[in-house]
Amino acid sequence: MTLERFLSAVAFVVLCVFLLVLVTKVATLDLTIVVLVTVLLCGYDLFFHRVPPHP
C-alpha cells in the first residue's frame, strides 16, 4: 500500500466520522440519504476509480 493510498484511506475515514456525527446529531431522513450518497461516491472515487496510464 503506497503512502498516497494510505492517506486517502485516512481522509476517507475522517470524512465518514464527521458525517456520522452530523447524521446522528441532526437525524433526518433526507440528510441521511444525502450523506449516504456522498460517502458512496467518495468511496468509489478513492478506491475503485482508476487513473488512465500515462503514455
Side-chain angles (χ1 to χ4, degrees):
M1 180 180 258
T2 64
L3 181 62
E4 182 180 350
R5 277 302 252 201
F6 175 72
L7 292 177
S8 296
V10 170
F12 183 70
V13 168
V14 169
L15 175 70
C16 288
V17 169
F18 172 76
L19 292 176
L20 179 67
V21 170
L22 180 67
V23 166
T24 56
K25 294 296 181 183
V26 177
T28 60
L29 181 61
D30 54 346
L31 178 65
T32 304
I33 292 170
V34 169
V35 166
L36 181 64
V37 169
T38 301
V39 168
L40 289 175
L41 287 173
C42 184
Y44 170 77
D45 190 42
L46 284 176
F47 301 113
F48 297 111
H49 185 259
R50 299 285 183 234
V51 178
H54 296 290

